[in-house]
Amino acid sequence: MTSKASSVPYTSLPSQPDSYPQNVIVLSYYHRPPNHILRRCLLFTTAILLLSASVYLLYPSDPAIQLSRIKLNHIRVNSSPELTLDASFSLTIKVENRDFFSLYYDSLVVSVGYRGRELGFVNSKGGKIRARRSSYVDARLDLNGLEVIKDVFYLIQDLARGVILFDTNTQVEGDLGLLLFKIPINGRVSCQVFVNTNNQTVEHQDCYPQVRL
């Protein structure tokens, strides 16, 4: 009677190893970092994010200026004894403090020009604007007896069309109260104002802020 052991197939080991090289990769055991290291990394990352947010929010910026209203009180062209121009404007300027600290501005200057030449300016007194607030400043500019001999040709053309283009520049200067420090600020805005000489009203205006370099 044949035994069960004799029915199991058996292959003898080769007398010589295979000629092909064999590569063995040894994987090291993964050590999980301790909890205190993870906690330190998390605290460091949080501190960097908070510092970046604080710098972004507290970094001082120039105030935003907008010529919110301009009214032409009167305009008149005098031909005798020489060609001169009389004009009067009432302006309302909006100054917005975008920072988280109070803004103390020393002066607010509004100038009016024609064909690239300044005709006159008005200087308003200083004031204070609270953090993240806006303030409206009223100013009146009277221009009397302005000589326009150099621009008489353009002035005649504008009068024939019934519209005169004026240039306005508004500038505010002051200091930003940052704790014990005072940081100087400067904001500017330029506008092109189209004035209807027939009904002495402002048809429209195009304004854009000036970037300080």
Side-chain angles (χ1 to χ4, degrees):
M1 186 175 185
T2 307
S3 63
K4 294 182 179 180
S6 61
S7 63
V8 177
Y10 172 78
T11 303
S12 60
L13 294 175
S15 58
Q16 295 182 357
D18 297 336
S19 59
Y20 298 102
Q22 297 181 0
N23 297 326
V24 178
I25 300 176
V26 179
L27 299 178
S28 59
Y29 178 73
Y30 173 73
H31 296 277
R32 186 176 181 179
N35 292 333
H36 68 277
I37 296 180
L38 294 176
R39 191 180 302 109
R40 289 180 181 177
C41 293
L42 182 59
L43 292 177
F44 179 77
T45 304
T46 304
I48 293 296
L49 293 177
L50 291 177
L51 180 61
S52 302
S54 300
V55 172
Y56 175 77
L57 294 176
L58 300 180
Y59 188 81
S61 59
D62 292 333
I65 305 177
Q66 179 183 357
L67 186 61
S68 59
R69 186 181 70 91
I70 179 171
K71 178 184 177 182
L72 179 65
N73 299 323
H74 71 268
I75 184 170
R76 181 175 59 190
V77 179
N78 305 314
S79 57
S80 177
E82 57 184 359
L83 190 62
T84 59
L85 178 68
D86 297 341
S88 175
F89 297 91
S90 294
L91 310 102
T92 301
I93 298 95
K94 177 183 178 183
V95 183
E96 180 183 1
N97 181 14
R98 298 175 293 185
D99 295 311
F100 289 87
F101 299 91
S102 298
L103 167 65
Y104 301 87
Y105 64 94
D106 301 324
S107 63
L108 189 147
V109 181
V110 182
S111 63
V112 176
Y114 176 73
R115 297 287 178 177
R117 185 166 65 95
E118 183 179 293
L119 301 179
F121 67 93
V122 60
N123 192 345
S124 179
K125 296 181 180 180
K128 174 185 176 181
I129 305 177
R130 298 176 60 183
R132 310 292 293 179
R133 297 293 181 86
S134 300
S135 178
Y136 291 87
V137 182
D138 295 324
R140 181 184 176 93
L141 178 61
D142 295 320
L143 308 173
N144 297 317
L146 295 173
E147 297 183 0
V148 290
I149 298 178
K150 296 181 180 179
D151 304 315
V152 62
F153 178 74
Y154 300 106
L155 182 60
I156 293 175
Q157 284 185 334
D158 293 339
L159 290 174
R161 290 197 303 263
V163 177
I164 298 181
L165 173 61
F166 290 101
D167 301 320
T168 65
N169 292 283
T170 306
Q171 179 179 359
V172 59
E173 294 182 350
D175 297 317
L176 189 67
L178 182 60
L179 299 180
L180 300 179
F181 304 95
K182 289 186 177 181
I183 302 176
I185 53 91
N186 189 320
R188 296 184 180 184
V189 64
S190 298
C191 298
Q192 291 182 330
V193 183
F194 296 84
V195 177
N196 190 315
T197 58
N198 297 323
N199 53 19
Q200 297 191 0
T201 58
V202 176
E203 290 190 346
H204 68 276
Q205 56 178 315
D206 299 326
C207 299
Y208 53 91
Q210 293 184 355
V211 179
R212 184 177 59 176
L213 300 178

